[in-house]
Amino acid sequence: MSNAEVTASAASDLRRLADSLVSTDPLNWVITGDSITHGLVHTHGGRSYSEHVHELIRGELGRTRDAVINSAISGHRLPDILGDFDRRVASWRPDVVTLMIGTNDMSIQPGSPFVEPAEFAASLREFVARVRTLGAIPVLQTPPSIDAVNAPERARLAEFADAVREVAATDDVILVDQHARFTEFGGGGVPWGMMNDPFHPNAAGHAALALELATALGLRPPVSRAIPLLEAQVRAARLV
C-alpha cells in the first residue's frame, strides 16, 4: 500500500484498502487492544477473532505474503498502548491497524484510575493521528456489550462505546461497531451464548467479531469455506 499523502477519511481508507487487496503487494496488518483481542483463555482453545481474520486474509484471499500481527495484551488500557506504541504498532510498519479498546479503561474497580469518556476520546484521537502519521489505515472497533449486572465496575461501557463512535465520526475513521452488533444479538441485552464471562466473548463470540470486522473491511471472499462455518457457529450461539 502506498504511503502517499491522501485526504484521510473512512471512505478514502476503504478505497485504498480495496485497491490494496487486489494488488500483489503484501500488507502488514496490526490488530491490537486488550484481553478481548488478545483472545486467550476465554475461547477454551477455539480461535480468536484475529486468528479467523488471519485465515481469511492469508488463506481464503490467498494473500500469503501478508503479515497479520496480534499485539493485544490482556488487562491493558489505551494509555498502555500509546506508551508502547513503537513496539505494539509502529515497529511492524503497518498498512492497516485495528484497535478494540475501552473495556478496562472505563473500569471503576478499586485501584484503577478513573477515566472520563472525554479523556478516553482524546487518547483515541491521539492513537488515530499516530497511525495516520505512519501512512497506515486506522480502524476503530467498539468493544462488545457486557453483562453489567455481574460486572458493575464496567457498567459505563455504553458511554465508552459512544466515545469510540464519536471519534470515528469526527476524525472520519473506519468504524466496526461490535457493541451494537452484540447488543442486537442479545435482543437489546446480553448475548449469553456468545459470552464466557460477563465481559469476555467465548469462541462463538469471537466468530461474531471476526465476521463483523471481515464484512467492514471487505475480507469476505465470494467463495469461502470459513465464512459459512463462522456464521453457523454464531447462529447456534444465538439459540442459547
Side-chain angles (χ1 to χ4, degrees):
M1 184 181 297
S2 170
N3 287 339
E5 291 187 4
V6 295
T7 302
S9 70
S12 66
D13 285 343
L14 286 169
R15 287 194 297 270
R16 283 177 62 196
L17 181 55
D19 290 344
S20 297
L21 288 173
V22 297
S23 168
T24 58
D25 294 335
L27 301 176
N28 292 336
W29 306 73
V30 170
I31 301 175
T32 197
D34 52 31
S35 59
I36 296 172
T37 300
H38 197 164
L40 303 181
V41 179
H42 300 282
T43 60
H44 298 279
R47 283 183 169 179
S48 68
Y49 81 85
S50 69
E51 291 171 317
H52 290 305
V53 169
H54 181 179
E55 175 161 356
L56 292 173
I57 293 170
R58 300 187 68 232
E60 301 219 322
L61 294 177
R63 300 190 56 83
T64 54
R65 296 182 63 232
D66 283 17
V68 182
I69 296 100
N70 181 348
S71 67
I73 298 177
S74 294
H76 276 204
R77 297 167 174 248
L78 186 47
D80 296 311
I81 298 175
L82 290 172
D84 196 22
F85 189 83
D86 285 346
R87 173 61 184 165
R88 303 278 290 276
V89 179
S91 65
W92 303 105
R93 300 175 61 188
D95 297 287
V96 182
V97 180
T98 77
L99 174 68
M100 182 193 293
I101 202 73
T103 304
N104 297 316
D105 299 78
M106 52 81 177
S107 175
I108 58 170
Q109 62 187 353
S112 297
F114 185 84
V115 179
E116 293 286 359
E119 181 184 353
F120 175 72
S123 294
L124 273 180
R125 290 191 173 93
E126 180 181 348
F127 181 89
V128 168
R130 289 195 195 183
V131 170
R132 283 183 166 155
T133 296
L134 298 175
I137 293 173
V139 178
L140 296 180
Q141 302 190 77
T142 54
S145 55
I146 67 170
D147 173 12
V149 171
N150 290 300
E153 75 284 356
R154 288 175 164 80
R156 297 189 297 154
L157 182 60
E159 297 176 57
F160 280 69
D162 281 342
V164 178
R165 296 181 186 112
E166 175 196 349
V167 172
T170 58
D171 287 31
D172 210 351
V173 179
I174 297 169
L175 174 69
V176 184
D177 201 342
Q178 305 282 12
H179 183 271
R181 189 65 165 147
F182 267 58
T183 301
E184 176 188 342
F185 286 145
V190 181
W192 300 108
M194 297 184 186
M195 306 301 292
N196 181 62
D197 68 11
F199 54 92
H200 288 102
N202 59 18
H206 276 268
L209 294 172
L211 287 168
E212 199 70 8
L213 182 58
T215 299
L217 300 186
L219 303 178
R220 296 176 64 125
V223 178
S224 171
R225 300 177 307 276
I227 294 291
L229 294 173
L230 296 176
E231 291 174 335
Q233 192 173 10
V234 170
R235 283 196 301 271
R238 295 185 70 179
L239 299 175
V240 175

